[in-house]
Structure formats: C-alpha cells, structure tokens
Amino acid sequence: MGYFSNIYYGIGTLLTGMRVTGKYFINARKGAITQQYPDNRDTLKMFERFRGEVVMPHDENNEHSCTGCQKCEIACPNGSIEIIWDRVIDPETGKKKKAIDQHIYHFGMCTQCGLCVDACPSDAIKWAQNFENSVYDRTQLTRILNKPGSKVRAGVEE
C-alpha cells in the first residue's frame, strides 16, 4: 500500500510544479521575469540592498568622511581592508592628527559580509551598485578608495 501512496504523492507534487511552470508559460506575454542582461545593461538597476563592492564617496571638494579610525579594518574577518596612515601636525591647532595615506580595498579577498560598512562610525564607506567586476589579472581587484589629494570633511570627528 505504501508503494502506491508514494506514487500518488509523487504525481501530486509533479502537478504542483507543472502548475507553477504553466502559469509562467501562459503569462509570458505580460512581461518577462528574466532580465535580458547584456541587452538591458544601460537600464538595469540592482536592488537597494545589493552588495557590489565597497566604495568611499567623495564630495565635489574631494573630501570624504574617513577619519582613519581603522574600525573597518579590524571588523573585516579576512583582511580585505588595509589602512595606511601617518600622524601629521594640524596647522590650525598645532597638534598631531591622524591622516590617511591610502585606504586599500582588496576586492578579490572580500566576502561581501558587510561588517566593515556596519562598523564604520562616520559612514565613510558604502556599498556600490556595480556588478561587473570580472578581470583577467587579480591585481586589478585591489583598489585604493581615497582619491589622490583627498582630505577629511570638516566637522567629521575621530
């Protein structure tokens, strides 16, 4: 008796799957569900929570919010972020202040876990929407996030 009930159950699940497939097949004229990627590259927008790669937004004055606190570097579980910094004398106060030389992001090692973005107290790094990151050389996956000559935005405290 168990043999026939298993066959009956199998046919029922097959028909359930076929009903879903048939619904998409019949409603195909109303709009495709699949994105036609190479054809719609200009209009394709990823969803808001998409994790492409980590970027450091700069404003029109080439200023960013990164203070060099290294919390993102510490939070990264596999060392994808590396901050090279130095102490310089602030001309206004005359005191030594931490200044970022390079904020290096190794995209090839990144697991897109988001711990670095969550750990940043000044929201200096964010997720970008780009998803075309295929390269032939791994060294091209290492990116310097701070632009040359950039500085910390006024009002951002360490």
Side-chain angles (χ1 to χ4, degrees), residues 34-79:
T34 305
Q35 295 286 333
Q36 302 299 321
Y37 165 62
D39 299 334
N40 67 348
R41 182 179 288 165
D42 298 333
T43 60
L44 184 63
K45 175 86 169 112
M46 297 305 288
F47 51 94
E48 186 179 325
R49 293 175 51 192
F50 177 74
R51 295 178 177 182
E53 71 174 303
V54 175
V55 294
M56 182 184 293
H58 289 66
D59 61 8
E60 61 277 350
N61 299 325
N62 200 18
E63 295 177 339
H64 55 79
S65 299
C66 183
T67 60
C69 68
Q70 295 179 298
K71 289 184 180 178
C72 59
E73 183 177 12
I74 293 168
C76 184
N78 56 351

Side-chain angles (χ1 to χ4, degrees), residues 23-36:
K23 184 173 73 171
Y24 285 121
F25 183 71
I26 292 169
N27 295 329
R29 293 185 195 113
K30 293 181 182 176
I33 295 170
T34 305
Q35 295 286 333
Q36 302 299 321

Side-chain angles (χ1 to χ4, degrees), residues 6 13 19 27 45 52 59 64-65 86 92 96 102 114 125 131 137-138 148 150:
N6 285 341
T13 57
R19 185 177 69 224
N27 295 329
K45 175 86 169 112
D59 61 8
H64 55 79
S65 299
D86 194 15
E92 296 175 4
K96 287 188 176 182
Q102 288 183 332
I125 54 177
F131 54 90
D137 185 14
R138 271 187 139 162
S150 65

